[in-house]
Each structure stands twice: as C-alpha cells, then as structure tokens.
Amino acid sequence: SNRKSTLKLVHKHGLCSPFDRDHNPLNLSEILLRDQSRVKWIQSQSSNSSSGQKATAAASLPVKSDITVGDYIVTIGLGTPKKDLTLLFDTGSSVTWTQCKPCVGSCYTQSDPIFNPSQSSSYANISCASTFCSLAGSGCFGSTCKYSITYADNSSSVGFFATEKLTISPTEVIDNFEFGCGENNSGIFGTAAGLIGLSDNNISFVEQTAAKYGKYFSYCLPSSTSSTGYLTFGKEGRAPSSVSFTPLSKVQQDSEFYGISIVGISVNGIPLSIPSTVFSSAGAIIDSGTTITQLPPTVYSALRTVFRKAMANYTTAPADSTVDTCYDFSKERTVTVPSITFLFAGGVNIDLDRSGILLMVTASQVCLAFTANDADSDLIIYGNVQQRTFEVVYDVAGRKLGFAPNSCS
C-alpha cells in the first residue's frame, strides 16, 4: 500500500501538549530513575540477560514497565460519534488500550473525558471464540474476551477486548480496530488516556493496519519540549532520499521488540578501540519508550573516557541519577561538543544530533546522554534521546530500519 497518514507528535510536558501544565511534571532525575524500571524489564526478556530467568507475562500478555518515561503522545479519534483521545505511543507494546466507563474497578485521572462505549454506535465486544482473542492469549469473562496487563511498576490495565472505529484523520478511518477497553486501571500513566502499541506483534496497530499501511511507519521525535514531531503510517511512494537502512532483527524468536545490529561507535570520527563482538554478543533493540541509550559497561567506559578527554577544558558538574559525566556551561559563551557516530549493520553511520549527545538536567548541569548496563551481556537499548531530529523509519514488512537525518522540519 502507498497510503500515508500522519499524526502530530508532541512531548507530554511540552508547550504544545494538550495536557494541563499546571501540574508538576517529572524532573529529569525522576525520569531517568523510572527509566531503569523499563530497562530492567526489557532486559529480563532477553535470554542472555544477567538479571536471570525470563519474566512471565501476566495473563500471557506482554508485561511492560513504566511507560510514562516515553513522554511522547499523539491524539486519535475513537468511536461514533468520534471522541478524541490522547495516547502515549510505544514501539515496545502490542496492545492499544484506553480507559473506559463505567470504570468498574477504578480509573486514574486523565485529561480527556473517559471513553464511554455505550454512547458509540460502532462499539462491539470481542467474542472469546475469536481468532484475535486466541492470538492475544487472553482469558474470558463469560463469552467476552478480556485482557489484563500489569507493568513492572505495578501500573495496570484490565478490561475487555473490543472493536471500534478509529479515526486518524478525516480521510483515514479504520473500522473494526481491536483494542482494550480498560475498566480497572491504575498507576503512573500521567494524564494520557491510554497507549497505542506499535510493537512487532500480531495484535499491534502495525499488524492490524497492514492492508492499509503496508506495515510501514515512521516518526520524528521533537528535539525540545517546545517543538512538535510526527507519527506517520504508510509511505506514499518512497522513503526520503536521505534515509539509510539497516536490517531489523529479532533479539529472540518470541520477542516483540525491534532488534538492530550495532557494530561500533566513533567519537570525532575515530572508532572506539573495542571489539565489535561486545556489541554482537549483547544484542540490541531500538525503543521509543526508553529515554537514554543503555550500553555495555566496556563500551560505555571507552566512550566516557574519550568524551571526557575531549571536554577537558570545561568545568565539570556533579553526576545525576544514572548519568555520571556532567558539565557546567553556565559561564560559557560557546561550547564545542565532540561528534558521536553510531555504526549499524549494512554500512549505516548515524551522526547524532547535539540534542542526542547531551542532556540538560539543569542550566548548570548538562550530562552525557548515555549510561552503562550492569553487564556486557545485557541487552543494549537504543533510546529515544539518540533518535531526536531523525525521521526513524520502520519498514516492518521489509525487515529494515531507516534513519533520515534532519528530516523533522
């Protein structure tokens, strides 16, 4: 399919966010600490993780960790008549869900009115006998298919699987979209109405819209809280001419994460002196919901050493949370930051934007935006900070991932 449909993508706490900004947003230290909850869960799914046995999902559904750190949201329409809902988007989740009345258990506070299926003429519960219900590995309540998702921080959503009309734009409508209608929800979801799942899974949004959009989507994450990005489904012709593709892989057979192959890192054009086997033995995924890239300790140590040497003329600042290489630029008029390039399989070299190298904790504390895993064997996670200013293209059908630099204007 050559169809194309685009949603505006904004930072949850940004100036363009529809959410009430009078509440106190998370500061960066809190975000990075919560980030580790998601990281530990993802790595526990990897067979080569140092954290032990593979975790067991609740109710045979993927169990995700703290999704609030993803921080990026889109607005879609659901039902007839259409009700607008603002959802977090996540490439590591399969189920798309929203809170639903009558909230038999409980519902957390969200910015949009809670969806009321009884007021939609296009809503229908999914039967326990349906193929979708068996694919989801869910249970039943009477003859109705149900779901139960428990996240690593004990946030949860429980409810019924249903079909509904989903509206992306006035001309792009998906009938009979299968989603979770959550009537008992709690935890740290901010004020988003739920989540849109974009993982590599047979019940995700990507798979459900395969006939329309060809299992092809891309996004641009806003580089600051005052700018907007986009989430696009379909390619409408071809990818941007500047895009470079690297193969997508599976980190293990039953994984829903998008696997990638990192072969090296360069600083100021000089490769780090580490064997490529450090990357290949750990394996790597790209994830929209993890904030900063998690590297093997051997790789991070080498990167930090070279970076600190290049930045030796600047005033250092205290470490913060999980980031330990920080500087005070408050008295500097200009700052020269060394370039960092990721080398992916297929000869793809990605020069990170400056916003993907340094993270501003406070005005006087700017830190290297990487951290180390517990062990070299732990799964590498390529986070969303390093994806800023790129159009990141997921050609799931073609099993390849693309990066188009400076394509977010």
Side-chain angles (χ1 to χ4, degrees), residues 113-233:
I114 294 176
F115 185 71
N116 189 343
S118 68
Q119 295 180 356
S120 173
S121 62
S122 47
Y123 176 91
N125 284 326
I126 291 178
S127 166
C128 244
S130 73
T131 302
F132 180 87
C133 198
S134 60
L135 287 174
S138 186
C140 298
F141 185 78
S143 61
T144 303
C145 188
K146 70 174 184 179
Y147 75 96
S148 176
I149 306 173
T150 302
Y151 298 87
D153 64 349
N154 289 323
S155 297
S156 63
S157 179
V158 179
F160 297 105
F161 274 127
T163 59
E164 187 54 283
K165 178 179 290 186
L166 188 147
T167 301
I168 296 175
S169 71
T171 58
E172 292 294 315
V173 177
I174 301 164
D175 291 317
N176 300 314
F177 180 76
E178 294 156 324
F179 77 108
C181 199
E183 295 190 1
N184 189 5
N185 316 285
S186 63
I188 308 170
F189 300 108
T191 54
L195 179 145
I196 181 167
L198 299 175
S199 70
D200 192 6
N201 180 278
N202 54 17
I203 63 172
S204 76
F205 182 97
V206 178
E207 182 67 34
Q208 287 196 54
T209 60
K212 182 185 284 283
Y213 299 126
K215 297 175 74 170
Y216 189 104
F217 70 96
S218 65
Y219 56 72
C220 170
L221 303 180
S223 58
S224 71
T225 56
S226 59
S227 58
T228 63
Y230 53 80
L231 171 62
T232 295
F233 302 107

Side-chain angles (χ1 to χ4, degrees), residues 32 35-36 39-40 43 290-301 303-304 320-325 359 368-374 379-381 386:
L32 293 180
D35 212 25
Q36 291 307 299
V39 167
K40 295 303 180 188
Q43 291 175 343
T290 299
T291 307
I292 60 175
T293 293
Q294 316 284 312
L295 294 171
T298 297
V299 176
Y300 179 70
S301 178
L303 174 63
R304 178 178 60 187
D320 184 272
S321 183
T322 60
V323 286
D324 64 6
T325 300
L359 206 57
L368 180 63
F370 298 88
T371 193
N373 283 328
D374 291 336
L379 187 70
I380 301 167
I381 304 175
Q386 281 66 45

Side-chain angles (χ1 to χ4, degrees), residues 19 31 130 133 291 354 394:
F19 294 164
I31 288 174
S130 73
C133 198
T291 307
R354 179 169 167 173
Y394 292 72

Side-chain angles (χ1 to χ4, degrees), residues 254-267:
D254 59 347
S255 173
E256 62 184 284
F257 298 108
Y258 293 103
I260 53 175
S261 296
I262 301 172
V263 297
I265 299 175
S266 295
V267 179

